[in-house]
Amino acid sequence: MITYLVRRTLYMVITVAAVSVISFILIQLPPGDFLSTYVANLTEAGTEVSASELASLTARFGLDRPMHEQYFRWIWGILSRGDFGMSFGWNRPVSELIWNRLAFTTVLAMSAMVFTFAVGIPIGIYSALRQYSPGDYFFTLVGYIGLATPNFLFALVLMWIGFRYFGQNVGGLFSPEFQNAPWSLARVWDMLTHLWIPVVVLGTAESAGLIRVTRAMLLDELKKQYVVTARAKGVAEGTLTFKYPVRIALNPVVSTIGWRLSTIISGAPIVAVVLSLPSTGPLMLRALLTQDMYLAGAFFLLLAILTVIGTFISDILLAVLDPRIRMEQ
């Protein structure tokens, strides 16, 4: 097991390093750079930028250096000082911009993931055990609706319901009086009362997909010979179902924890814009549109780290869940 964990840790480091290089290159592939967009906006506003001013800004932002030198200066700052660089658009350190928003995003993503598993797995098990029952047909219909409905449209519907029937201020994660207030139990409670809409919006589509996967995998396991033999020998139905087929059916569910977390976070920008959430989504979207490379690169790097950590957790859970995987190690 120790060798397995060491090998997986090494893979994590290599993966994050590769993603940091690829993402830094991809950010700079589109024509132009942040200064091109900045100068174009000033020109449209009637302000001319001289050649000397443009050269000064280019040197100030380090855009006159080769791409590989920009990358190594950026990654060395992260590894040595935890410095993600300066945001061109905000003229502030990237770390100041992302940490507060990243905390809200993590709370939102983890809550949505808990909602996804709490809803998707039990319904998927029920649908498999009651195949072709009215309940199975109902949850299948709800699942297809959840998969087909865009998140932003679902967010608008829930906003209207929250405002119309509950009289709730549905914009953002806080009421106006708690927007800039210091943290307290009252502020935490206010955040929790606003959290349900984005959690349901982000978790619905994921839950719908999880229901279909769990149902299909469990149906496949229930038809295998070891289940038929155990049932013929008189093993109690509940013990038989949950001790063996359900554990095996959860393998693909557990193995996708890593990318599910990053998918929820990366899929949240449009929902965050619609719901006015103080998450990383709108900030990342603006960074990509303006080619704010250090800010966008920091987001990609953090998403990669979250993905590999989630995958690492998935590998450990799979080894615990399925003895066959432990034997292959």
Side-chain angles (χ1 to χ4, degrees), residues 126-127 130-145 212 215:
Y126 171 84
S127 295
R130 300 290 185 271
Q131 188 181 18
Y132 303 136
S133 66
D136 181 28
Y137 285 123
F138 171 76
F139 288 123
T140 298
L141 175 63
V142 172
Y144 285 142
I145 293 174
R212 307 309 302 165
R215 179 183 183 275

Side-chain angles (χ1 to χ4, degrees), residues 306-328:
L306 284 174
T307 301
V308 297
I309 290 176
T311 304
F312 183 67
I313 294 173
S314 297
D315 291 338
I316 295 175
L317 291 176
L318 280 174
V320 173
L321 194 66
D322 193 340
R324 297 173 299 179
I325 295 176
R326 293 199 296 271
M327 292 176 64
E328 293 174 0

Side-chain angles (χ1 to χ4, degrees), residues 256-289:
T256 58
I257 289 177
W259 63 260
R260 282 185 187 276
L261 180 59
S262 61
T263 299
I264 291 174
I265 294 177
S266 60
I270 304 302
V271 175
V273 171
V274 171
L275 295 176
S276 301
L277 302 177
S279 63
T280 57
L283 198 61
M284 181 171 65
L285 186 60
R286 175 174 171 178
L288 293 173
L289 291 175

Side-chain angles (χ1 to χ4, degrees), residues 213-294:
V213 171
T214 305
R215 179 183 183 275
M217 291 300 301
L218 185 54
L219 282 174
D220 184 59
E221 288 297 319
L222 289 173
K223 296 175 183 177
K224 290 186 176 179
Q225 190 62 45
Y226 76 92
V227 177
V228 177
T229 303
R231 185 176 289 119
K233 289 186 175 182
V235 178
E237 194 66 27
T239 302
L240 169 63
T241 302
F242 289 96
K243 189 174 182 180
Y244 300 108
V246 169
R247 287 179 60 186
I248 304 302
L250 290 180
N251 277 8
V253 175
V254 173
S255 64
T256 58
I257 289 177
W259 63 260
R260 282 185 187 276
L261 180 59
S262 61
T263 299
I264 291 174
I265 294 177
S266 60
I270 304 302
V271 175
V273 171
V274 171
L275 295 176
S276 301
L277 302 177
S279 63
T280 57
L283 198 61
M284 181 171 65
L285 186 60
R286 175 174 171 178
L288 293 173
L289 291 175
T290 60
Q291 292 182 270
D292 194 342
M293 62 181 185
Y294 293 130

Side-chain angles (χ1 to χ4, degrees), residues 139-161:
F139 288 123
T140 298
L141 175 63
V142 172
Y144 285 142
I145 293 174
L147 286 171
T149 305
N151 282 348
F152 73 90
L153 178 61
F154 192 35
L156 291 173
V157 171
L158 287 185
M159 287 175 67
W160 178 80
I161 292 174

